[in-house]
Amino acid sequence: KRRPGAILLHDVTIPNLHDRLLRVARWQRWDVRASEYVRCGVPDRVSPALLARSGEWRKIPPLRGFVEAPTLRDDGSVFDAPGYDKASQLFFVGRLPAGYSTPCETRAHARDALEKLQAAFYDLPFVDEQDKAAAYAAVLTSLVRRVLPSAPLVGITAPAPGTGKSLLADAISIIATGRRAAVLGLGKDDIEGDKRLTSALLAGDAVIAIDNVERPMFGDLICQALTQPNIRIRPLGSGYLVSTPTNIMLMVTANNLDVRGDLRRRVMLVRLDARVERPELRRFTTDFLQEIARQRGELVQAALTIIRAYLASGDAQSDLPTFGGFEHWSRWCREPLTWLGLPDPLLASEMLRAQDPD
């Protein structure tokens, strides 16, 4: 379920290419009787022949993904100009969000930026400071996920419905895309879940929320999508494999999230608990998502400032435990927060290992 205006990638089909060829060229054939060229349609053999030459499309630039907010290139420089960026191989769709300004690089600016994030998420009932840190790390991740080779699954859990799990997922998505998160159901079994995840990867969604999971989460495909920069998958209904990047922001919401197997070490947990009998009856001081949307440009600038200030400082948070398979993510989205005095965003995830029966 995608929100109106969602950007997707589509395969170039023969009818699609046929239509584009009609738009960009005037096609003619020789009329013997009239002894002149006359208008005609595109010959049927032309579109299939061009599609068959896909290995020769060297002039078409490679697409790593699209973004809908300013982000960072691999070297940490800012990419905030709409259109295609050759250095990052990303395409910026749309316009700069209102209120956005160029990210800064000093520790003082990073502290101010962190305070802005903290104020924006003040109303959510986080269990502890480490859960707040994990939520801020998720915001940072959503903006730079396209250039990270891997990133953990953001698991948003609470003991009761109505606590604000989907609200947090939507807020993170609004900052990154301007829309609420595209929602994906896990399905009744792993086969159905893998099919849905495969479709999302091929469509190039920037942010996906696997919503209201009611069964244990595990599986090879989701583990590969979290740790491998590219994977080969079989599109639904086809008999061939395609290679696709996995730079998609994955979140999952559940009541008492149950993660099993090797997926446990690939999750950053965010715990919410309203500590009331009927969480859904709570009143917020403001319309939370509307306020996030209003401040979107400022929050994008704040998140990128935190990352850039840390990278520019040259400091290394060597006391943090290594997060194998996610070193680049840890450098960009975890260490900047501990550098500013917050707890390790991964501390809450330790409860998943404590629950592991193995």
Side-chain angles (χ1 to χ4, degrees):
K1 181 181 178 181
R2 295 182 175 92
R3 310 293 174 176
I7 310 299
L8 300 175
L9 299 178
H10 294 276
D11 285 337
V12 178
T13 62
I14 290 176
N16 175 264
L17 184 57
H18 195 89
D19 174 66
R20 288 182 175 273
L21 290 173
L22 281 173
R23 296 186 198 182
V24 302
R26 183 174 64 195
W27 296 81
Q28 298 178 320
R29 64 174 178 81
W30 179 258
D31 189 313
V32 176
R33 294 181 181 180
S35 296
E36 62 179 0
Y37 285 100
V38 297
R39 295 290 295 269
C40 68
V42 181
D44 291 340
R45 65 180 182 276
V46 174
S47 296
L50 287 175
L51 279 180
R53 298 178 183 176
S54 59
E56 301 176 20
W57 295 353
R58 298 184 182 89
K59 292 184 179 180
I60 297 181
L63 182 66
R64 192 175 185 178
F66 55 82
V67 294
E68 297 175 78
T71 186
L72 301 181
R73 301 182 181 92
D74 295 87
D75 60 1
S77 59
V78 179
F79 167 42
D80 58 5
Y84 182 74
D85 180 58
K86 185 177 180 180
S88 63
Q89 299 179 355
L90 295 174
F91 194 98
F92 188 157
V93 183
R95 299 176 298 177
L96 290 173
Y100 168 81
S101 57
T102 304
C104 304
E105 294 186 3
T106 69
R107 189 164 192 155
H109 285 110
R111 289 197 185 100
D112 293 341
L114 178 58
E115 290 179 2
K116 193 168 294 183
L117 284 182
Q118 291 170 326
F121 289 89
Y122 176 79
D123 274 341
L124 291 181
F126 296 105
V127 171
D128 208 337
E129 291 299 315
Q130 59 207 33
D131 299 285
K132 294 180 182 180
Y136 307 147
V139 173
L140 270 56
T141 304
S142 70
L143 292 171
V144 297
R145 179 64 184 96
R146 291 303 199 193
V147 298
L148 297 176
S150 61
L153 173 71
V154 178
I156 306 173
T157 185
T163 307
K165 303 180 296 296
S166 297
L167 208 61
L168 175 57
D170 284 339
I172 293 169
S173 179
I174 287 172
I175 294 171
T177 69
R179 292 180 305 279
R180 295 190 180 193
V183 177
L184 177 71
L186 189 59
K188 297 180 180 179
D189 53 44
D190 291 341
I191 296 176
E192 181 65 24
D194 286 356
K195 289 178 181 178
R196 297 179 182 184
L197 180 56
T198 294
S199 297
L201 288 170
L202 292 174
D205 287 286
V207 179
I208 284 287
I210 306 173
D211 200 35
N212 289 325
V213 175
E214 296 182 345
R215 64 179 180 86
M217 281 199 70
F218 56 89
D220 294 337
L221 180 61
I222 191 169
C223 286
Q224 294 169 3
L226 294 169
T227 53
Q228 300 298 322
N230 295 275
I231 58 174
R232 291 183 63 78
I233 53 180
R234 189 187 308 277
L236 188 62
S238 71
Y240 56 89
L241 294 173
V242 298
S243 179
T244 180
T246 58
N247 52 2
I248 178 173
M249 172 75 174
L250 278 175
M251 298 182 284
V252 58
T253 67
N255 296 320
N256 301 309
L257 178 64
D258 184 2
V259 181
R260 300 183 181 179
D262 201 31
L263 184 59
R264 289 180 186 273
R265 75 169 190 88
R266 293 171 164 89
V267 175
M268 178 176 66
L269 202 62
V270 183
R271 301 170 300 168
L272 302 176
D273 190 351
R275 297 180 176 88
V276 295
E277 187 175 352
R278 297 285 301 278
E280 70 275 12
L281 300 181
R282 289 172 300 137
R283 289 188 178 182
F284 290 90
T285 56
T286 60
D287 185 324
F288 176 65
L289 293 182
Q290 185 177 0
E291 195 63 21
I292 290 291
R294 186 186 68 80
Q295 300 180 58
R296 184 186 173 220
E298 298 175 20
L299 295 174
V300 169
Q301 190 264 353
L304 296 183
T305 290
I306 291 172
I307 300 174
R308 280 179 55 80
Y310 175 68
L311 296 178
S313 73
D315 293 342
Q317 302 297 291
S318 57
D319 56 333
L320 285 178
T322 302
F323 193 21
F326 301 100
E327 291 84 1
H328 197 153
W329 172 86
S330 189
R331 172 74 174 162
W332 281 37
C333 304
R334 179 189 178 202
E335 293 179 14
L337 297 174
T338 60
W339 177 64
L340 291 174
L342 293 185
D344 184 354
L346 295 177
L347 284 178
S349 305
E350 292 299 323
M351 65 171 289
L352 293 174
R353 294 171 180 82
Q355 294 172 352
D356 190 345
D358 298 325

